[in-house]
Every structure is written in C-alpha cells, then in structure tokens.
Amino acid sequence: MIASLLSIRDLDRAGIERILAEAAVFQKDGPRITRKYPTLRGKTVVNLFYEASTRTRTSFELAAKRLSADVVNFTAGGSAVEKGESLKDTARTIEAMGVDLIVCRHASSGAPHRLHEWVSAGVINAGDGMHEHPTQALLDLYTMRQHFESFDGLRVAIVGDVLHSRVARSEIWGLQTMGAEVTLVGPPTLMPPQAEGWGVEVTPDVDAVLPKADVVYLLRMQLERMDAGYVPTLREYARLWGLDAARAAMLKEDAIIMHPGPMNRGVEIAADPAELPRSVITSQVANGVAVRMALLYLMLGGRDARAEVPVE
Ligand code: CP
C-alpha cells in the first residue's frame, strides 16, 4: 500500500478496490462504527489543518481514534503560524515530536506535496486549494458502490463550479480509474479550459443530462474562491443549474443525488431534493469515517483490522 496519498491518481483500480473492501469490513455491523480496534496502537496521526473543515477533520479524528492511534489536532489559528512560522518549520517541529502520518488541508494547491518533500512521515492530502481532495473521492466511490454493482459505464453528472473545485478533479480521476463515464455540467465561466482534455463530456445543458444520469453530483459554489462575476447572480445560477424539485423529478428511478458538503441550500440544491430518499448526502458523511479508517489501517500497516475490542 502507498505510504502517502497526495492525489487520487496515486491509486490504481486495485488499490481503490482494496480500500473500499476494507471500509466495508469496518462497516459490517452498520454505517455507524461503534467498535474500537487496537490496530494502530502506538501510532500518531496529526491533523494539520490550515483551512476550515467540519467533515474531513472530524472524520479523520474519529477514524484514527477508532483504530486506537494517538491523534493531535493542529489548526493554524492559535498556533505559532500566527507569529509567522512557515509550513516547513511547522511540519518539521511537529515531526520532531514523533508522528507517523500527517493529514494536511491547505488553501494553497500543492502544499501537501511540499510537505511530503520535507518530512519522512506519510502525508494525506485532505484538500489543497483548487487542486485535489482524494479521500472525498474515495468515500464518494464507496457510497456509489453501495447503490450500483459496477462502475463500468456508470453515468455520473458533476454539476456546478468545476473551476474552483478540488473535489471535482479527484472525483473525475477516481471515477475514470473505476470505469465510469463523467459529464461535467455548468456555466462555461465555471468550467476549466483544460476540462475538454480530461476525457469527459462538457455541457451547459443540465436538463438534457439529468434524465440519463445514474449519479447527480452537485458541487458547492465556492464563493470564497470567486473574485469575479462568474455568474450574474446566485438566484440566476439556481434557476439555470440548481437541483430543484422539478429537476429532481427528471431523474431515473434509481438515480442518486450526492453533494460533498457543506451545501449552499437554495443555490446548487433546493431544500426539498436534499431531503429525498435518493439523496445520499448523509451517507457520504457516515461513510467518510469507514473509508478513512480503511486508508489509515492500510497505510500505517497496523495489526489485523478485524482484531476488534469493544469501545471503552
Ligand atoms: N467535504 C468536505 O471536505 O467538507 P469539509 O470542508 O467540512 O471538510
């Protein structure tokens, strides 16, 4: 197994399948994992978060704790970063205390890659700028696998702000590795020019795509990364590309709705479709713990994952 995960492209199909299979073992008693495993006792995981997170940071912490690793949560606010300490010095300081794995989120694309050059511990990219978010793609693949037997020929429509989305990039490359067909849908102003070369279909016509999709994956409008008028107004965006009740009614009977969170309700998704039985957004969050447990277990080479002990 790989020692670091910087991009979803670090994994081939067999590598992804292995993580999904191990996650299913951890979830064998249900989606919420209540058992604690001794497998990573003596290992230390640091969550090094320079950017806000709810789902990713919490689920990495829960995953590491469920595996009995020691967990340190580092956020830039309240640390020596506020006194000007660099990422390199911060990383080396943390590593000097003896850590096995650093989970890094950073607003700058490529920050986890630089970290990987500076430290001997493993590094997981927990989201870097507009670049990648590989563990989001893994948990999304796991969630899709719960609803569809095979990825081969699965039609996934990724809708919205592809330009600023690290989730979209990891999602596209992960889905393609598994054999799915990806269509990117959204305003041309929010589509990266290089998307045409990614082996995906690109279209602004959401109403033409929805009836054919098995999975509708809505992207968050990355308002914090927008410094220009990419869409006339958010109301206009919602009207032309948002998933409202009428558009949800166009979906195939077994199609599912996904969103990485946090949602801008009323923009990329209306309140009602977000609550439909076919919306698996809450499952995505629950599955994040299992998938990250599988990844930590496989990367840190722990003892038998199935040698469980009851929760203390
Ligand atoms: N999906 C996701 O990365 O959410 P957070 O920003 O809350 O971690």
Side-chain angles (χ1 to χ4, degrees), residues 49 51-59 105 126-127 133 136 139 166-167 217 220 259-262 292:
F49 276 58
E51 202 190 49
S53 167
T54 299
R55 282 146 283 267
T56 311
R57 198 196 60 73
T58 308
S59 63
R105 170 169 290 192
H133 194 349
Q136 179 70 44
L139 73 89
R166 56 195 176 207
V167 171
Y217 195 101
R220 184 171 71 84
H259 191 300
R292 287 171 176 129

Side-chain angles (χ1 to χ4, degrees), residues 126-145:
D128 63 324
M130 302 192 304
H131 181 224
E132 275 219 56
H133 194 349
T135 60
Q136 179 70 44
L138 288 172
L139 73 89
D140 290 336
L141 290 170
Y142 182 82
T143 306
M144 290 179 211
R145 168 62 59 75

Side-chain angles (χ1 to χ4, degrees), residues 35-49:
R35 292 176 190 274
K36 189 163 179 177
Y37 299 78
T39 185
L40 296 187
R41 201 167 273 162
K43 304 279 186 188
T44 302
V45 175
V46 175
N47 286 325
L48 183 63
F49 276 58

Side-chain angles (χ1 to χ4, degrees), residues 112-168:
H113 303 69
R114 297 307 307 273
L115 193 63
H116 182 249
E117 292 165 11
W118 296 326
V119 299
S120 56
V123 176
I124 294 178
N125 179 358
D128 63 324
M130 302 192 304
H131 181 224
E132 275 219 56
H133 194 349
T135 60
Q136 179 70 44
L138 288 172
L139 73 89
D140 290 336
L141 290 170
Y142 182 82
T143 306
M144 290 179 211
R145 168 62 59 75
Q146 290 179 323
H147 294 267
F148 301 100
E149 245 171 59
S150 172
F151 287 104
D152 287 316
L154 191 75
R155 291 180 167 189
V156 181
I158 299 179
V159 184
D161 181 4
V162 178
L163 182 67
H164 300 102
S165 176
R166 56 195 176 207
V167 171

